[in-house]
Amino acid sequence: MTAYDRLLARFSRIAALGEAAAMLHWDASAMMPLGGGTARGEQLATLAGLSHEMLTDPCVEDDLAEAEAEGEWHAANLALMRRTHLRATALPVELVEATARANSACEKVWRDAKARSDFSAVRPFLEEVLRLQRETAQALAARTGLSAYDALMDSFQRGVTAAEVEPVFEAYAAWLAEALPRAEDIQARQGEPLPLRGPFPAAAQRELCRSLSLRLGLEESHSRLDESLHPFCGGTPTDVRITTFYSEADPAKAILGVLHETGHALYERGLPAGFARQPVGEAAGMAAHESQSLIVEMQACRSDPFLRFLSGEMRASFGDDPSLDAGNLARNWRRVERGFIRVDADEMTYPAHVILRFRLERAMIEGRLEVADLPGAWAEGLRVLLGITPPDDARGCLQDIHWHDGAFGYFPSYTLGAMAAAQLMKAARAAEPGLDAALERGDLSPLLGWLRREVHGRASLLGFQDLMRAATGKGLDPSDFTAHLSARYLAE
Amino acid sequence: MTAYDRLLARFSRIAALGEAAAMLHWDASAMMPLGGGTARGEQLATLAGLSHEMLTDPCVEDDLAEAEAEGEWHAANLALMRRTHLRATALPVELVEATARANSACEKVWRDAKARSDFSAVRPFLEEVLRLQRETAQALAARTGLSAYDALMDSFQRGVTAAEVEPVFEAYAAWLAEALPRAEDIQARQGEPLPLRGPFPAAAQRELCRSLSLRLGLEESHSRLDESLHPFCGGTPTDVRITTFYSEADPAKAILGVLHETGHALYERGLPAGFARQPVGEAAGMAAHESQSLIVEMQACRSDPFLRFLSGEMRASFGDDPSLDAGNLARNWRRVERGFIRVDADEMTYPAHVILRFRLERAMIEGRLEVADLPGAWAEGLRVLLGITPPDDARGCLQDIHWHDGAFGYFPSYTLGAMAAAQLMKAARAAEPGLDAALERGDLSPLLGWLRREVHGRASLLGFQDLMRAATGKGLDPSDFTAHLSARYLAE
């Protein structure tokens, strides 16, 4: 056995533990009775601890030094093994444990503080989280040669830097300042859409959601659709588990939510089986993943052709009401609105919420902003971007779990994904002239075939920017996204 | 940290991996789409491999040699740790791997051979399985000081030997030869019961099964009820997962099946939380486990008082049909019948099926019977015990998975459990005079409270015979079981 063969075997076992953990996480959200929570915590902590021990075992360093890999894929795999090992060994155990404790303590306090909109309650806990995140960022930066903030962002999306993100985001902010009032004006002149008229029984929603998911290309034998409070796509590449939540008042939440998660699921299903349970065989990162959910949900499924198909499906499921016309669905599901809450935002204003968080978290990690000044900076930042000021911190800097759980550097992925989705869609349309005609029949296969070749099949062979270049001929370019939004929201 | 503290931590982690595996097994049976099977195999193999490595790590031997434990429970825990380690290190890795391969190969061939009733197809595979089981038994016997067959039986139920089982089984066989014709005669004179008349929609069955399970004492927050092809009770002590299978033609399968699994589940729920994830905190073995499912299903729930309660519940769920009278339920669900198939057998003839297998597998392990002679020995053995001869091997020695999957020494547990259930029920009735009146109200709590004190709460503190002595004042005594059967089947 060569050193590289030993590493292949070790990383495969580590990944199998990760798969087991993924299933237990899904179960905890979708199946587990409450009383199983404590034991589940023990099970997951044990799996995480063993994974870390297997990754940081002294023999791994020797094998990594000695290993040689042949061919593009194996070379990339070995490089990713080295990266994973470097990041795992960059942090002293005491820092990792202190971080886990601080994140957990802050997250608990945050849940209550958010409910009461009491920033002062969470402030000391968030200060401790930030202190440890700064330390973590420094330690990672020292080992990787990245800047402190980039070292954190790199944990979620490899292959893109803040220096690349910043001009993209600034350009978008400038475009939005001009475009948003125009979109609002056009929308106001179109008048209010009809509210969707049901009833929308949960069972019928479930059946429709599942059939849409399968129609888009997910296989019955490799997927499930269940319910959880917070929808997500979990599981493993050969066994993807989508969850959603059915509101009988508003079927859009489940339908659009499942279409979104189906995009994530199709990405996992398209990863190359030959590199299953190896670093190079994983999805390329959070921004790449979000590009796949958004290209399905926002680009394909909210397009006019697909909405015409979906309108027919909804009429068949819920009755033949005029509010389910494709045009009315479009007016309901493609509205811009300046709001306080990121997760409720439309695709045009969503990036403003992300840009705000990117600016603030970067300033916090770089020591230019302290927790005490966060509520004020938030309010001012939102005013500059969207012209509105949150009435309280619950609708301001307390709204998201991310920072309170130690996830600094994650937010940009949402908007990088949205922009990448538009850019990929443009390239796919150029390559597959029948793409939109197929969508009108509810057929995603031309788009999916292209994505399988250009994105899914490449897994983690390339970093984010290189993946965009390989698929579209250029690095991330926000103009495809603004062109998409202009066509959708600024056409008179 | 003392050596014993290190062992506590290590065994707790090993058990957490076991809990993770238990959940993944449940998921594979109740939730997983078919396409997830290969990856699930990898996940489970990785968990099993890591557990074995953690158990056989050289430092464990040193810690076990050095460790001291104070108090009855910790002393028993340390003894069980030593036993577990001894058994895990008794077998050479090559033997373990050859056994896994041979079992898996034989089990695959067996499925097909059973369907075609073709013993010759499975014969060479079963010969290899047996060869390795004999080798395993010898190796375990050499380390434990037990006889070869006892060493295998000990894997499933600690604390009972073939020398103790044999006279118990022989006495039963002698009793049955006389009792069975009498029971059949009495039954014939009573005439045929009315077939249960439905309809029995699966959804209503599910609701009834769940409500019965909760009524017997299982908590909503610590349990689930789902569907699988082969019903079982899985999960972990704080999160038990029962499965069943609904036949709309025959509600007995699901109802009695769920009552049976609820007995298993209540045992898990009653294990002492303070020794969770330690060897001494586990259930006492397979016979002990079966005693708990059978005391609930056979002793409590098929009793006249409980059937009167259940009759009311079934009428409420399925309509007020005379076939759902308590007396008619009893005539349907307490019938004796000489049959070929163990899993379909009634409680009086079931032990005959087990005694047959006990005799044959013991002879095979001790080299007194070869695989080639198994079909003939089976047919002759069944004729002696029940006076019938299987028409083919599918209904003979091919019917059970056990031997074909390498499980030699398991079968006695079923009947030891049935006998223990009767003995425990008699002791519980003596200690709790209101037990039967409570059953008539669907209230298991007097019995359950007694079982929690006398059985569940003792976990693995005692071996099987000592547990029976502690709970009932005597080792296993088949006369309580025959007295139970006499009262139920031989009263004119």
Side-chain angles (χ1 to χ4, degrees):
Chain A
M1 240 194 176
T2 69
Y4 182 61
D5 288 336
R6 284 193 297 274
L7 290 167
L8 283 174
R10 178 172 294 258
F11 276 82
S12 177
R13 290 185 100 191
I14 294 172
L17 292 187
E19 289 190 354
M23 282 299 164
L24 294 176
H25 274 295
W26 169 84
D27 182 88
S29 299
M31 294 290 152
M32 189 183 75
L34 268 182
T38 307
R40 183 59 45 87
E42 289 293 324
Q43 296 151 22
L44 289 169
T46 301
L47 292 175
L50 281 173
S51 294
H52 188 76
E53 286 169 25
M54 288 166 77
L55 186 56
T56 57
D57 189 292
C59 72
V60 178
E61 192 159 355
D62 298 340
D63 280 342
L64 284 172
E66 187 188 328
E68 290 172 19
E70 274 179 34
E72 185 187 23
W73 279 82
H74 285 292
N77 197 37
L78 180 55
L80 288 168
M81 288 172 172
R82 290 187 170 125
R83 172 183 185 271
T84 307
H85 182 259
L86 189 88
R87 294 183 65 94
T89 52
L91 305 177
V93 173
E94 303 73 38
L95 178 57
V96 172
E97 290 179 354
T99 298
R101 275 194 301 274
N103 293 351
S104 167
C106 184
E107 194 247 81
K108 269 200 194 73
V109 172
W110 164 75
R111 288 193 186 273
D112 181 58
K114 179 181 174 182
R116 295 182 295 109
S117 194
D118 180 3
F119 184 75
S120 67
V122 85
R123 186 182 139 180
F125 294 89
L126 186 55
E127 280 170 343
E128 178 65 2
V129 167
L130 177 58
R131 187 181 73 74
L132 293 164
Q133 284 295 311
R134 284 170 174 165
E135 212 175 303
T136 298
Q138 293 298 343
L140 289 173
R143 288 291 293 274
T144 58
L146 297 169
S147 78
Y149 180 74
D150 282 354
L152 293 182
M153 197 164 66
D154 186 63
S155 318
F156 303 106
Q157 180 57 64
R158 185 174 54 92
V160 61
T161 64
E164 292 167 307
V165 171
E166 188 174 27
V168 167
F169 281 7
E170 291 311 320
Y172 187 81
W175 178 84
L176 184 69
E178 190 267 335
L180 182 56
R182 281 175 53 209
E184 288 171 324
D185 185 50
I186 291 165
Q187 190 169 275
R189 274 182 279 138
Q190 289 170 340
E192 290 287 307
L194 295 172
L196 304 192
R197 231 176 68 184
F200 303 107
Q205 285 191 52
R206 199 214 164 273
E207 205 174 314
L208 175 61
C209 285
R210 181 63 172 160
S211 96
L212 288 171
S213 203
L214 296 176
R215 180 152 197 132
L216 294 189
L218 213 53
E219 308 99 311
E220 184 96 52
S221 58
H222 288 286
S223 62
R224 285 185 59 95
L225 172 62
D226 297 277
E227 292 176 53
S228 72
L229 200 57
H230 301 288
F232 67 100
C233 174
T236 71
T238 55
D239 182 1
V240 286
R241 308 277 173 108
I242 290 179
T243 72
T244 190
F245 182 83
Y246 300 106
S247 154
E248 299 210 329
D250 181 6
K253 287 195 197 317
I255 294 171
L256 298 172
V258 168
L259 293 170
H260 181 95
E261 303 306 337
T262 299
H264 284 306
L266 290 169
Y267 189 7
E268 291 290 317
R269 291 289 308 125
L271 295 171
F275 286 90
R277 286 182 285 280
Q278 290 299 323
V280 76
E282 293 172 6
M286 295 300 178
H289 233 305
E290 198 66 11
S291 79
Q292 297 308 292
S293 55
L294 291 173
I295 202 169
V296 170
E297 181 204 347
M298 290 289 180
Q299 298 289 327
C301 294
R302 298 205 200 204
S303 71
D304 287 334
F306 192 84
L307 287 182
R308 284 193 285 272
F309 164 76
L310 183 55
S311 167
E313 299 292 300
M314 290 183 70
R315 284 161 177 261
S317 294
F318 306 117
D320 202 0
D321 192 85
S323 68
L324 303 181
D325 277 359
N328 193 57
L329 292 180
R331 281 188 294 281
N332 270 282
W333 294 348
R334 300 194 319 218
R335 287 184 72 71
V336 297
E337 193 174 355
R338 297 169 201 246
F340 303 114
I341 306 299
R342 175 184 60 86
V343 295
D344 294 337
D346 60 85
E347 60 179 328
M348 188 184 267
T349 59
Y350 198 110
H353 295 278
V354 168
I355 292 166
L356 171 65
R357 288 154 178 77
F358 167 71
R359 290 172 177 170
L360 296 177
E361 69 179 11
R362 196 177 171 200
M364 284 192 278
I365 292 301
E366 292 174 356
R368 294 179 285 110
L369 177 65
E370 295 305 322
V371 168
D373 302 321
L374 183 58
W378 184 289
E380 173 58 13
L382 190 70
R383 194 194 56 74
V384 168
L385 281 159
L386 285 181
I388 56 175
T389 312
D392 52 35
D393 290 331
R395 281 169 281 187
C397 64
L398 283 175
Q399 70 183 266
D400 295 310
I401 191 176
H402 301 59
W403 296 336
H404 304 95
D405 197 26
F408 283 75
Y410 187 110
F411 281 120
S413 295
Y414 293 113
T415 289
L416 298 176
M419 291 173 169
Q423 186 170 332
L424 292 166
M425 189 65 162
K426 188 180 167 196
R429 274 207 174 95
E432 304 285 341
L435 191 155
D436 284 291
L439 287 181
E440 186 135 12
R441 300 186 305 270
D443 176 6
L444 196 74
S445 60
L447 175 59
L448 184 56
W450 188 88
L451 289 173
R452 291 248 147 112
R453 284 194 304 280
E454 301 295 335
V455 179
H456 306 177
R458 289 195 168 107
S460 275
L461 184 63
L462 306 170
F464 183 71
Q465 291 279 33
D466 288 336
L467 179 62
M468 292 306 294
R469 277 182 209 108
T472 71
K474 59 184 179 183
L476 188 72
D477 176 356
S479 71
D480 289 340
F481 184 53
T482 52
H484 155 73
L485 295 175
S486 298
R488 189 170 277 182
Y489 298 96
L490 302 178
E492 306 257 356
Chain B
M1 240 193 176
T2 68
Y4 182 60
D5 287 337
R6 283 194 297 273
L7 290 167
L8 282 174
R10 178 174 294 259
F11 276 82
S12 177
R13 291 185 100 191
I14 293 172
L17 293 188
E19 290 190 355
M23 283 298 165
L24 295 176
H25 274 294
W26 169 84
D27 183 88
S29 299
M31 295 289 151
M32 189 183 77
L34 268 183
T38 307
R40 182 57 46 87
E42 289 292 325
Q43 296 152 22
L44 289 169
T46 301
L47 292 175
L50 282 172
S51 294
H52 188 75
E53 286 170 24
M54 288 166 75
L55 185 57
T56 56
D57 188 291
C59 72
V60 178
E61 192 159 355
D62 299 341
D63 280 342
L64 284 172
E66 186 188 328
E68 290 171 18
E70 275 179 33
E72 186 187 22
W73 279 81
H74 285 292
N77 197 38
L78 181 55
L80 288 168
M81 287 171 171
R82 289 188 171 125
R83 172 182 186 272
T84 307
H85 182 258
L86 189 87
R87 294 183 64 93
T89 53
L91 306 176
V93 174
E94 303 73 39
L95 178 57
V96 172
E97 290 178 355
T99 299
R101 274 195 301 274
N103 293 352
S104 168
C106 183
E107 193 248 81
K108 270 202 193 71
V109 173
W110 164 76
R111 288 193 186 275
D112 182 56
K114 179 182 175 183
R116 294 183 294 109
S117 194
D118 180 3
F119 184 75
S120 66
V122 84
R123 184 181 141 181
F125 294 89
L126 185 56
E127 280 170 343
E128 177 66 1
V129 167
L130 176 60
R131 187 181 72 75
L132 294 164
Q133 284 296 311
R134 284 170 173 167
E135 211 175 305
T136 298
Q138 293 299 343
L140 289 173
R143 288 291 294 273
T144 57
L146 297 168
S147 77
Y149 180 73
D150 282 353
L152 293 182
M153 198 165 64
D154 186 63
S155 319
F156 303 106
Q157 180 58 63
R158 186 174 54 93
V160 62
T161 63
E164 292 166 307
V165 170
E166 189 175 23
V168 167
F169 281 8
E170 293 309 321
Y172 188 82
W175 178 85
L176 183 68
E178 190 268 333
L180 183 55
R182 280 175 52 207
E184 288 171 324
D185 185 49
I186 291 164
Q187 192 171 273
R189 273 182 280 136
Q190 288 170 341
E192 290 288 304
L194 295 172
L196 304 192
R197 228 174 69 184
F200 304 107
Q205 285 191 51
R206 198 213 165 274
E207 207 174 311
L208 175 61
C209 286
R210 181 63 171 160
S211 96
L212 288 170
S213 203
L214 297 175
R215 178 153 198 132
L216 294 190
L218 213 53
E219 308 99 309
E220 183 96 53
S221 58
H222 288 286
S223 63
R224 284 185 59 95
L225 172 61
D226 297 278
E227 292 175 54
S228 73
L229 199 56
H230 301 288
F232 67 101
C233 175
T236 70
T238 56
D239 183 0
V240 285
R241 309 277 174 108
I242 290 179
T243 71
T244 190
F245 182 83
Y246 301 106
S247 153
E248 299 210 327
D250 181 6
K253 286 195 197 321
I255 293 172
L256 298 172
V258 168
L259 293 170
H260 181 95
E261 303 306 337
T262 298
H264 284 305
L266 289 169
Y267 188 9
E268 291 291 316
R269 292 290 306 123
L271 295 171
F275 285 91
R277 284 183 285 281
Q278 291 299 324
V280 77
E282 293 173 6
M286 294 301 176
H289 234 305
E290 198 67 11
S291 79
Q292 297 308 292
S293 55
L294 290 174
I295 201 168
V296 170
E297 182 205 346
M298 290 289 181
Q299 298 289 327
C301 295
R302 297 204 200 205
S303 71
D304 287 334
F306 191 85
L307 287 182
R308 284 193 284 272
F309 164 76
L310 184 55
S311 167
E313 299 291 300
M314 289 184 70
R315 282 159 178 264
S317 295
F318 306 118
D320 202 0
D321 191 85
S323 68
L324 303 181
D325 277 1
N328 193 56
L329 291 181
R331 281 188 294 280
N332 271 281
W333 294 348
R334 301 194 317 220
R335 286 183 73 71
V336 297
E337 194 175 354
R338 297 170 200 243
F340 304 114
I341 307 299
R342 175 183 59 86
V343 296
D344 293 339
D346 59 86
E347 59 180 328
M348 188 183 269
T349 58
Y350 198 110
H353 295 278
V354 167
I355 292 167
L356 170 66
R357 288 154 177 78
F358 167 71
R359 290 172 176 170
L360 297 176
E361 70 179 10
R362 197 176 170 202
M364 283 193 278
I365 293 299
E366 293 175 355
R368 293 180 284 110
L369 176 66
E370 294 305 322
V371 169
D373 302 321
L374 182 58
W378 184 289
E380 172 59 13
L382 191 70
R383 193 193 58 72
V384 168
L385 282 159
L386 286 181
I388 56 175
T389 311
D392 52 35
D393 291 330
R395 279 170 281 186
C397 64
L398 283 174
Q399 70 183 266
D400 295 310
I401 190 175
H402 300 59
W403 296 335
H404 304 95
D405 197 27
F408 282 76
Y410 187 110
F411 280 120
S413 295
Y414 293 114
T415 287
L416 297 177
M419 291 174 169
Q423 186 170 333
L424 291 167
M425 189 65 162
K426 188 182 169 197
R429 275 206 174 95
E432 305 285 341
L435 192 154
D436 284 293
L439 286 181
E440 184 134 13
R441 302 187 303 270
D443 177 5
L444 196 75
S445 59
L447 174 60
L448 184 56
W450 188 87
L451 289 173
R452 291 247 147 112
R453 283 193 304 280
E454 300 295 335
V455 179
H456 306 178
R458 288 196 168 107
S460 276
L461 185 62
L462 306 171
F464 182 71
Q465 290 279 32
D466 288 336
L467 179 63
M468 292 307 293
R469 277 180 210 111
T472 71
K474 59 183 180 183
L476 188 72
D477 175 358
S479 71
D480 290 341
F481 184 53
T482 52
H484 154 75
L485 295 176
S486 297
R488 190 170 276 181
Y489 298 95
L490 302 180
E492 306 255 0

